C-alpha cells in the first residue's frame, strides 16, 4: 500500500480507502473478514455515511469494533451527513444530531473526518461553521471535508470555518470523467467541453484538497459496473488487452487509471469481497504509460480535440 500525507493535518491515509456503503447486509463475522483483509493490505481509511443502509452499515461496523476495540486506533474513520429523505440539511442541529447518532452506531467516541455529503441549497455557512466548532471542541470530529461540491460552494463554507476542508468526495472513473473532459476540451463547443463542476479538479489541486473518487467501477446506478458491460465493449476490450500487458485484471487496471492522475487522489473502493479488494490494491504498484492512459480515456467514445 502507498500512503498520502494530507496537508494541514496529521493524517497519513492509505491511497485506497474502503467504502462501507454496501456492507449493511453483512454479518459481523463477514465484515470482520473484510476489515481484517483491508488492514492486512495496509488500508487504514474507512468511509461511511449516516444514510448507508439506513444506518445499518455503521451499525454492523460498530459491532465489529466492539469485538476488536484495538482496531479503532489503527483506523481513520470518515462519515458523512446532510442527506435526508427528500431534502438536504446542513443546519447546525442536523449536523450535530447526525454525528451523535453515527458515533452511537459506530460505537466510538470520535470520527476522524466528517464530510458534508451533498450541497444543501439552503445552507447557511455560519451555521455549518458553528456545528464544526462544537463537534471539534467536544472531540467528536477531528477533521472536516465535503462531497460532491463545486469550488464556490467550498469557498463559501471555507470563508466561515477555521477548519481547513481537507477532502472533496466526487464521482470519478474512466467512464464518468467529467472533471477531465471539460479540461481537455477547453475552448471547444462539443458536449464534452461543458464544465459541469466549476473546474473542481484544478481547484482542489490548487487548494490542497484531496479528491476521493467514489464508484470507481460503476457506470451508473442503473447499469451497475462497466466491467464486461455491453455498452462499454471498446473499453472492456482494451482493459483486457492492457491487462495482459500489465499482468492485472480489468478492475485493477480501471483503478490504476484513476491513480495514474498526478493529483494524488484517494479512491474509495466499494467492494465487499476480500478477494476483489486484494486484486484492487495491486493498482498502487502499476503506473500506466501516458499512451495507455489516454487510450483508455478515449475508448469511451470521447474526442481528442
Ligand atoms: N459521496 C457520495 O456521494 C458517494 C456516492 C456513492 C458511493 N460513495 C462511496 O464510495 C464507495 C464506493 O462506491 P461503490 O460501491 O458504488 O463503488 P465501486 O467500488 O465502483 O463498486 C463496488 C461494486 O462493484 C462490484 N464489483 C463487481 N466486480 C468487481 C470487481 N472485479 N472488483 C471490485 N468490485 C466489483 C462490487 O461487488 P462485490 O462486493 O461483489 O465485489 C460492488 O457491488 C461507497 O462504499 C461509498 O463509501 C460515495
Amino acid at each position: 500500500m502507498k500512503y498520502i500525507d494530507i496537508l494541514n493535518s496529521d493524517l497519513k491515509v492509505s491511497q485506497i480507502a474502503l467504502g462501507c456503503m454496501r456492507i449493511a447486509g453483512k454479518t459481523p463475522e463477514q465484515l470482520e473478514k473484510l476489515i481484517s483483509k483491508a488492514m492486512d493490505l495496509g488500508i487504514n481509511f474507512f468511509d461511511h455515511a449516516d444514510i448507508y443502509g439506513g444506518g445499518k452499515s455503521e451499525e454492523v461496523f460498530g459491532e465489529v469494533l466492539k469485538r476488536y476495540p484495538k482496531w479503532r486506533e489503527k483506523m481513520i474513520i470518515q462519515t458523512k451527513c446532510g442527506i435526508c429523505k427528500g431534502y438536504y440539511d446542513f443546519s447546525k442541529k442536523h449536523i450535530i444530531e447526525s454525528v451523535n447518532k453515527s458515533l452511537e452506531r459506530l460505537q466510538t467516541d470520535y470520527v476522524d473526518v466528517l464530510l458534508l455529503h451533498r450541497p444543501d441549497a439552503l445552507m447557511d455557512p455560519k451555521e455549518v461553521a458553528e456545528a464544526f466548532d462544537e463537534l471539534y471542541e467536544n472531540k467528536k470530529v477531528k477533521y472536516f471535508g465535503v462531497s460532491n461540491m463545486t469550488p464556490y460552494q467550498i469557498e463559501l463554507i471555507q470563508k466561515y470555518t477555521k477548519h481547513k476542508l481537507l477532502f472533496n468526495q466526487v464521482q470519478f472513473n474512466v467512464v464518468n470523467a467529467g472533471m477531465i473532459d471539460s479540461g481537455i476540451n477547453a475552448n471547444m463547443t462539443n458536449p464534452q467541453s461543458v464544465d459541469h463542476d466549476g473546474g473542481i479538479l484544478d481547484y482542489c489541486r490548487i487548494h490542497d484538497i484531496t479528491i476521493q473518487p467514489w464508484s470507481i467501477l460503476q457506470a451508473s446506478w442503473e447499469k451497475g459496473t462497466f466491467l464486461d458491460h455491453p455498452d462499454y465493449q471498446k473499453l472492456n476490450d482494451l482493459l483486457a488487452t492492457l491487462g495482459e500487458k500489465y499482468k492485472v485484471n480489468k478492475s485493477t487496471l480501471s483503478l490504476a487509471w484513476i491513480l495514474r492522475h498526478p493529483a494524488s487522489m484517494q479512491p474509495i473502493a466499494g467492494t465487499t469481497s476480500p478477494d476483489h479488494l486484494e486484486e484492487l490494491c495491486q493498482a498502487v504498484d502499476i503506473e500506466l504509460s501516458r499512451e495507455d492512459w489516454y487510450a483508455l480515456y478515449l475508448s469511451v467514445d470521447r474526442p481528442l480535440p
Side-chain angles (χ1 to χ4, degrees):
M1 184 52 61
K2 290 183 180 156
Y3 295 86
I4 310 170
D5 284 313
I6 304 296
L7 291 181
N8 303 297
S9 81
D10 61 3
L11 294 175
K12 195 182 184 74
V13 307
S14 50
Q15 180 119 53
I16 297 172
L18 183 68
C20 296
M21 184 177 74
R22 299 176 192 268
I23 63 170
K26 299 287 167 196
T27 62
E29 291 73 26
Q30 288 168 325
L31 183 59
E32 186 188 312
K33 284 197 186 117
L34 180 65
I35 296 176
S36 172
K37 169 63 86 178
M39 293 203 297
D40 286 350
L41 291 165
I43 291 175
N44 66 3
F45 199 102
F46 298 84
D47 180 64
H48 284 271
D50 53 356
I51 52 161
Y52 290 164
K56 288 245 159 40
S57 295
E58 289 182 331
E59 220 169 271
V60 66
F61 199 93
E63 279 302 312
V64 175
L65 280 186
K66 193 175 161 194
R67 293 181 189 188
Y68 298 91
K70 291 220 167 93
W71 282 1
R72 176 63 188 97
E73 67 209 43
K74 295 182 184 153
M75 289 177 169
I76 298 167
I77 297 182
Q78 170 172 281
T79 195
K80 313 184 206 73
C81 68
I83 298 184
C84 300
K85 212 169 182 195
Y87 60 98
Y88 300 147
D89 191 347
F90 284 3
S91 65
K92 180 180 174 185
K93 182 170 178 285
H94 177 75
I95 293 173
I96 290 174
E97 277 178 10
S98 169
V99 170
N100 284 335
K101 285 184 197 153
S102 287
L103 294 178
E104 229 170 85
R105 287 191 291 264
L106 288 164
Q107 307 207 35
T108 184
D109 296 333
Y110 68 98
V111 287
D112 299 271
V113 185
L114 176 70
L115 304 186
L116 298 172
H117 207 155
R118 269 197 179 276
D120 170 14
L122 301 180
M123 90 164 143
D124 174 351
K126 290 185 202 126
E127 265 195 69
V128 171
E130 284 175 25
F132 283 5
D133 282 347
E134 193 169 314
L135 290 166
Y136 180 80
E137 280 153 22
N138 291 331
K139 300 193 180 344
K140 292 181 176 179
V141 179
K142 291 187 176 177
Y143 298 105
F144 299 88
V146 298
S147 176
N148 303 305
M149 287 209 193
T150 65
Y152 274 119
Q153 289 165 336
I154 296 174
E155 288 275 322
L156 184 61
I157 297 170
Q158 192 66 79
K159 176 177 172 183
Y160 290 93
T161 181
K162 60 176 188 271
H163 303 279
K164 172 80 171 80
L165 299 170
L166 301 180
F167 299 98
N168 188 15
Q169 194 173 110
V170 295
Q171 185 179 29
F172 182 60
N173 60 46
V174 66
V175 165
N176 297 293
M179 63 183 183
I180 299 270
D181 296 337
S182 55
I184 286 188
N185 291 280
N187 202 28
M188 304 294 290
T189 54
N190 54 358
Q192 289 81 4
S193 68
V194 176
D195 179 357
H196 292 282
D197 57 37
I200 194 61
L201 176 58
D202 296 332
Y203 175 85
C204 287
R205 296 180 79 184
I206 290 166
H207 292 276
D208 299 319
I209 296 172
T210 300
I211 289 185
Q212 295 179 330
W214 58 260
S215 283
I216 55 176
L217 302 172
Q218 302 295 299
S220 64
W221 290 113
E222 298 74 32
K223 290 182 187 173
T225 174
F226 54 76
L227 299 172
D228 298 323
H229 194 289
D231 288 0
Y232 303 96
Q233 193 61 49
K234 226 167 120 189
L235 168 66
N236 275 284
D237 289 347
L238 189 56
L239 283 171
T241 308
L242 292 177
E244 281 175 31
K245 173 175 167 187
Y246 290 94
K247 301 192 174 29
V248 287
N249 68 18
K250 292 179 183 179
S251 62
T252 311
L253 204 64
S254 304
L255 182 52
W257 184 87
I258 294 174
L259 293 174
R260 176 62 178 81
H261 194 281
S264 271
M265 298 184 198
Q266 186 195 26
I268 315 282
T271 181
T272 56
S273 147
D275 291 343
H276 281 165
L277 189 62
E278 185 161 7
E279 285 165 5
L280 285 173
C281 285
Q282 295 168 15
V284 297
D285 295 318
I286 292 185
E287 178 150 345
L288 288 180
S289 72
R290 194 171 286 268
E291 289 83 352
D292 292 340
W293 187 91
Y294 269 92
L296 285 166
Y297 173 77
L298 297 173
S299 74
V300 193
D301 288 333
R302 295 183 177 106
L304 190 65

